[in-house]
Amino acid sequence: MPAETTIDPATAFAGIPRSPGSAKSDPILVAEHINRHFGGLTAVDVEHLQVQRGVITALIGPNGAGKTTFFNVLTGFDRPDSGEWRFDGQSLKGMPAYRVARSGMVRTFQLTKALAKLTVLENMRLGATQQRGERLVNAMFRPRWRQQEKEITERAYGLLERFQLAGMANEFAGSLSGGQRKLLEMARALMVQPKLVMLDEPMAGVNPALKQSLLGHVRSLPDDGMTVLFVEHDMDVVRDISDWVVVMAEGRIISEGPPTSVMGDQRVIDAYLGAHHDAPLTVEEEEQVLREAEQIEAVRAEETRE
Amino acid sequence: MDWGPLFTNSLEAAIGPVAITYCLAAIGLNIHFGYTGLLNFGQAAFMAIGGYGLGAAVVTFGVPFVLALLIGFGGTAVLAVLLGLPTLRLRTDYLAITTLAAAEIIRQVLGSLTLEPWLGGKDGRQGFAATVRDLNPFSGPVDLGIVGFRPFDAWVILIGWLAIALSCLVVWLLMRSPWGRVLKGIREDEDAVRALGKNVYGYKMQALMLGGLFGCVAGFMMGVSRSSVVPDNFQTDLTFFAFCVLLLGGAARVFGPVVGAILLWGMLNVLGNFFGQATSGPNPIIPTWIMDSNQSSLVRFIVLGIALMLLMIYRPQGIFGDKRELAIHAR
Ligand SMILES: Nc1ncnc2c1ncn2[C@@H]1O[C@H](COP(=O)(O)OP(=O)(O)O)[C@@H](O)[C@H]1O
Ligand SMILES: [Mg+2]
């Protein structure tokens, strides 16, 4: 990891307006006019978004707001109907997903994609880029890749230790619990040595004990020079670890700012409460909406007291 | 019941040229399906290109044998690219449908009247194995105690098993490498592999081509062992029997196709011999109202089908498969 100077979130966001699409002091990712329609439905309609380098940005919004679709578009897993976006100054428009990843922007998935019939260690090794042994001409001749494989394995064990998975290194990934799979997917993404880590609901379905350690890992990523953009539903988590929050609703970015100020924004509360007015909700969805709205209210109450 | 010939015949079949041919075809399918998750239902097409590439090049165009082999390989590589280009970006079902259709189209074209002057129409091409025959080190019948073979058969079987050994070595070397790891990753979840910066499309193309080349070798084997290729050799059931071999032995195992081929052809012959004997003669063991001798050769396929079904129910990972991997798959 390049030892970049750690960016202090407070100074990074000094003087940044708390309005949708505001310009950042040092953006790693800039997206403009991104549109994605599914038939008549506009899933993503982002006018402008800048993601600050070296900090943790949360992307929140009610179910169906278009967060996952936005992630898919940015990472080359989906094509937008229109739009431009640059990562670290390089345009990613039309770039296939694997080249986006190689350029340093690596994502995880909302539905965890652990490679079940590969061992945990093999999952990790797969994450390393520029492997000589991954080329067909070299593959049959072990001496050509043995040394590199050793280095990769060491790096993999280092990350597995950190994510408390080292003991499971030789287990099939399919035998891990849901939470451990999330850990594995994140650790595997770090094997790519990304500049920007994009996590789609990394805490979903993770038990409270693991959640704390997962939170710790996410929080430590900027110290290693990485930028984090993550989607999350749990407002406590968002408030805990994010330096900046972007709120999406019905495909649009409706609010931006530090966690506490965003959660007090009337537009955000309306979005969470009103998002499903026209669509029937399942019981779980309704519960979640209410829970999130409650959390937002609680934060706001706290704010006004202070 | 005469058990001696039954045993001998079956053993000969289990290691004979037919078993070898299917084993090689299944080794190719193992790379496609077992390791990469690609459903190629047109392995017969790759075999046909191999067999006809060799046969037509030697007989029609008088090309030297070794060069004809290279033509076969080249043709298979081209076929892999043609099939892969439009389909490998799509879901794997598209590859399945495309390869299935392509194999039938190719078989029809090979047997067509228009191409008869070059490919021999329905009669195909014969007598291109002279080079192999000339190199035969066996001058008389080869007797291995329990089993015995005619000199040419023995020679073909020797070459065939050497080819299988070499193929298994190549597959083993490849699949323990980081390259093989990428293929297995693609089989599990190609988007995850893409998200890690691997060119999934490129890897799938390489896998399709490589597995196709083993199919091509199977085509050579089939042509040489019979000294002939005809379009009807390459019907769709050829591919499906190769899949049976693979699933029986265990997919994603280096020796899966070997075990599968030996068992399948051994079993088919045991059953064939058994029912043949049990229904023959003036006073057959199985009364004619159950089955007569004409039906007996078909009954073995029924029994085999039931056996395969039971295997898939009680041991879906195949004879060689890993239980642990299966337990995960089942959730
Ligand atoms: N492949 C698709 N086809 C049709 N509609 C889709 C597709 N993917 C997402 N959508 C729709 O786009 C909207 C945004 O979905 P999504 O990005 O998954 O939201 P979020 O991740 O914020 O919950 C939803 O209304 C969803 O139903
Ligand atoms: Mg989502």
Side-chain angles (χ1 to χ4, degrees), chain A residues 16-209:
Chain A
I16 302 294
R18 294 161 186 202
S19 58
S22 63
K24 305 298 183 300
S25 57
D26 181 13
I28 191 170
L29 178 70
V30 179
E32 278 167 302
H33 314 297
I34 296 195
N35 267 280
R36 179 69 170 105
H37 304 275
F38 293 112
L41 175 96
T42 304
V44 175
D45 179 13
V46 170
E47 265 314 296
H48 197 83
L49 176 69
Q50 297 199 352
V51 176
Q52 170 67 29
R53 186 192 307 274
V55 302
I56 300 178
T57 304
L59 179 62
I60 67 169
N63 261 330
K67 305 178 297 290
T68 298
T69 308
F70 189 44
F71 260 39
N72 288 346
V73 166
L74 291 176
T75 51
F77 280 86
D78 194 3
R79 298 260 171 271
D81 299 302
S82 66
E84 298 274 345
W85 65 107
R86 288 188 310 282
F87 170 66
D88 229 4
Q90 181 188 21
S91 173
L92 296 188
K93 187 175 181 171
M95 193 184 270
Y98 78 92
R99 285 187 45 211
V100 172
R102 278 186 201 172
S103 76
M105 181 163 147
V106 175
R107 57 98 48 102
T108 64
F109 294 87
Q110 184 170 351
L111 297 170
T112 325
K113 291 184 184 297
L115 305 167
K117 289 191 215 168
L118 264 56
T119 64
V120 169
L121 185 59
E122 288 285 75
N123 264 272
M124 293 295 286
R125 284 172 173 154
L126 187 62
T129 47
Q130 307 212 316
Q131 297 190 40
R132 278 188 289 279
E134 285 184 353
R135 302 188 44 173
L136 185 51
V137 285
N138 297 333
M140 287 212 300
F141 312 104
R142 196 180 206 165
R144 294 195 187 168
W145 47 266
R146 185 190 277 132
Q147 184 54 34
Q148 195 187 23
E149 182 88 342
K150 225 179 105 195
E151 289 157 19
I152 289 168
T153 306
E154 270 166 33
R155 202 150 60 78
Y157 267 110
L159 278 166
L160 286 176
E161 295 286 355
R162 211 170 115 192
F163 283 76
Q164 281 139 37
L165 288 170
M168 323 269 305
N170 294 314
E171 304 285 327
F172 283 108
S175 67
L176 300 185
S177 73
Q180 287 172 323
R181 287 185 207 200
K182 289 262 174 195
L183 284 171
L184 173 61
E185 199 183 8
M186 200 168 131
R188 191 177 64 195
L190 297 185
M191 283 297 289
V192 187
Q193 299 183 305
K195 288 183 264 188
L196 173 62
V197 188
M198 302 185 41
L199 308 168
D200 198 349
E201 306 206 11
M203 315 292 169
V206 179
N207 72 45

Side-chain angles (χ1 to χ4, degrees), chain B residues 144-202:
Chain B
L144 297 174
I146 321 163
V147 291
F149 297 101
R150 281 168 296 164
F152 181 66
D153 283 347
W155 178 221
V156 166
I157 289 169
L158 180 64
I159 296 173
W161 280 100
L162 287 176
I164 289 174
L166 189 67
S167 304
C168 286
L169 180 68
V170 168
V171 171
W172 178 72
L173 286 173
L174 285 174
M175 292 312 159
R176 67 163 189 175
S177 78
W179 185 82
R181 182 160 67 215
V182 178
L183 295 198
K184 290 178 226 165
I186 291 171
R187 176 192 68 197
E188 298 300 301
D189 192 322
E190 60 176 79
D191 276 344
V193 177
R194 225 171 248 132
L196 297 172
K198 319 289 175 199
N199 181 359
V200 168
Y201 181 65

Side-chain angles (χ1 to χ4, degrees), chain B residues 38-43 45 83 86-87 90-105 236 240 243:
Chain B
L38 297 174
L39 265 181
N40 168 22
F41 281 159
Q43 189 69 332
L83 291 174
T87 56
L90 309 171
R91 282 205 325 264
T92 189
D93 347 7
Y94 291 92
L95 180 70
I97 297 163
T98 308
T99 47
L100 186 63
E104 266 311 277
I105 293 169
T236 315
F240 292 124
F243 263 107

Side-chain angles (χ1 to χ4, degrees), chain A residues 172-250:
Chain A
F172 283 108
S175 67
L176 300 185
S177 73
Q180 287 172 323
R181 287 185 207 200
K182 289 262 174 195
L183 284 171
L184 173 61
E185 199 183 8
M186 200 168 131
R188 191 177 64 195
L190 297 185
M191 283 297 289
V192 187
Q193 299 183 305
K195 288 183 264 188
L196 173 62
V197 188
M198 302 185 41
L199 308 168
D200 198 349
E201 306 206 11
M203 315 292 169
V206 179
N207 72 45
L210 267 183
K211 197 179 259 181
Q212 281 313 314
S213 83
L214 200 52
L215 275 179
H217 295 313
V218 176
R219 204 189 279 119
S220 70
L221 294 179
D223 301 335
D224 296 328
M226 279 177 266
T227 306
V228 180
L229 178 64
F230 79 111
V231 172
E232 188 48 60
H233 273 296
D234 189 328
M235 292 303 154
D236 290 328
V237 169
V238 171
R239 196 176 19 172
D240 250 20
I241 64 168
S242 54
D243 304 306
W244 193 260
V245 179
V246 176
V247 189
M248 257 182 112
E250 291 171 352

